[in-house]
């Protein structure tokens, strides 16, 4: 049985495991398994990498950056983003193992965002949160030719704080992307503190969160007429890109 899986720590609910096991069932794939592998320390990854049954893994927090030290090669986008969420494990006939890291978060985000964009107005974006998730989003926006500004709770160079946001800034930035965990289940009443009263039908508000399906951020944005999108399709597209990489 060939093995795939997700490494991170801790690992609770996993979109990936549910998605792939359902995919295997629907597509009658019987020779591959996908499971969760919580690693208390990233050094434990070597046990998985050296296991000849494994030919790929996904990586989640807190190891998307740390795992790069264990890889032989990075794809172009992983090198640019400096974070990896997908690894292809190749075992050669002479017993050697080759590990190549990819970032399919960027692909999933870009492919799910592109059809929603209005090129006449969607030229600048606000990115809410400056954590790891924002890295892939920044890369994708650069690929799309959309300028971006980061928004965080504390003042930093070349970034805005939530208190800085006003009517003029929101009018100038029609794409707003929540890369923070604010509003994730079970804290569904929470939302990023932006001035929602300045949103219009010209805005596109995208939340990387997929649980709940409609976050408070998306609901409040929709009430002002904005176009909205959650992170579910991004995850599906990312998962299919992972599968393509592992089986290429």
């Amino acid at each position: 049985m060939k093995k795939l899986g997700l490494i991170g720590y801790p690992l609770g609910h996993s979109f990936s495991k549910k998605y792939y096991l359902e995919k295997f069932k629907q597509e009658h794939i019987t020779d591959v398994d996908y499971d969760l592998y919580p690693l208390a320390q990233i050094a434990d990854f070597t046990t998985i990498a050296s296991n000849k049954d494994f030919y790929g893994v996904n990586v989640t927090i807190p190891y998307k950056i740390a795992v790069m030290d264990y890889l032989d090669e990075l794809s172009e986008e992983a090198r640019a983003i400096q974070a990896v969420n997908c690894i292809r494990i190749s075992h050669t006939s002479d017993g050697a193992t080759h590990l190549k890291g990819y970032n399919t978060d960027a692909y999933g985000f870009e492919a799910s965002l592109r059809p929603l964009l209005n090129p006449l107005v969607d030229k600048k974006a606000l990115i809410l949160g400056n954590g790891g998730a924002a890295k892939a989003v920044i890369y994708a926006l650069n690929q799309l030719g959309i300028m971006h500004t980061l928004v965080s709770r504390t003042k930093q160079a070349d970034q805005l704080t939530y208190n800085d946001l006003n009517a003029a800034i929101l009018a100038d930035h029609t794409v707003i992307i929540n890369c923070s965990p604010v509003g994730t289940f079970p804290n569904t009443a929470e939302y990023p503190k932006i001035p929602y009263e300045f949103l219009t039908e010209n805005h596109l508000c995208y939340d990387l969160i997929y649980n709940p399906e409609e976050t408070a951020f998306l609901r409040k944005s929709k009430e002002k007429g904005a176009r909205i999108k959650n992170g579910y399709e991004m995850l599906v597209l990312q998962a299919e890109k992972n599968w393509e990489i592992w089986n290429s």
Side-chain angles (χ1 to χ4, degrees), residues 21-234:
L21 293 184
E22 185 62 30
K23 176 183 176 69
F24 298 161
K25 182 179 179 181
Q26 290 182 354
E27 299 181 16
H28 307 291
I29 298 169
T30 58
D31 62 340
V32 184
D33 188 32
Y34 190 104
D35 210 343
L36 305 182
Y37 298 92
L39 305 181
Q41 53 188 14
I42 188 57
D44 295 338
F45 172 61
T46 56
T47 303
I48 290 176
S50 61
N51 186 323
K52 297 296 189 288
D53 291 333
F54 279 92
Y55 75 108
V57 293
N58 288 127
V59 186
T60 189
I61 54 175
Y63 298 136
K64 287 187 177 185
I65 296 172
V67 78
M68 292 192 294
D69 291 338
Y70 294 82
L71 305 181
D72 301 298
E73 186 181 358
L74 294 175
S75 65
E76 179 183 345
E77 83 287 341
R79 195 179 309 111
I81 296 167
Q82 283 296 292
V84 163
N85 76 306
C86 174
I87 299 171
R88 186 174 68 189
I89 304 173
S90 305
H91 302 287
T92 60
S93 57
D94 61 0
T97 299
H98 185 83
L99 306 174
K100 183 171 181 179
Y102 300 80
N103 190 301
T104 58
D105 288 331
Y107 168 81
F109 175 72
E110 180 182 343
S112 62
L113 178 68
R114 186 187 294 272
L116 307 176
L117 294 172
N118 180 344
L120 296 178
V121 297
D122 295 330
K123 301 178 186 299
K124 293 182 181 180
L126 292 176
I127 300 174
L128 311 181
N130 60 356
K135 288 185 169 186
V137 167
I138 290 169
Y139 179 86
L141 291 176
N142 287 339
Q143 296 297 108
L144 292 166
I146 296 175
M147 293 184 285
H148 66 271
T149 301
L150 286 164
V151 181
S152 61
R153 288 173 294 181
T154 56
K155 190 68 175 177
Q156 298 184 46
D158 301 320
Q159 296 185 19
L160 297 172
T161 67
Y162 287 93
N163 289 334
D164 292 329
L165 300 180
N166 55 34
I169 290 173
L170 263 66
D172 197 38
H173 297 76
T174 58
V175 181
I176 303 177
I177 304 145
N178 180 34
C179 294
S180 79
V182 176
T184 307
F185 180 85
N187 302 311
T188 57
E190 298 179 0
Y191 52 86
K193 298 301 190 287
I194 68 169
Y196 292 90
E197 64 269 24
F198 300 134
L199 294 178
T200 70
E201 64 276 4
N202 287 331
H203 285 90
L204 168 59
C205 295
Y206 191 119
D207 202 329
L208 266 59
I209 295 168
Y210 71 97
N211 183 20
E213 184 176 334
E214 184 174 285
T215 59
F217 166 67
L218 293 182
R219 186 182 70 251
K220 291 172 71 68
S221 300
K222 184 172 70 174
E223 288 170 356
K224 297 300 179 181
R227 296 160 284 157
I228 63 170
K229 178 78 171 179
N230 71 19
Y232 183 79
E233 186 187 14
M234 171 183 169

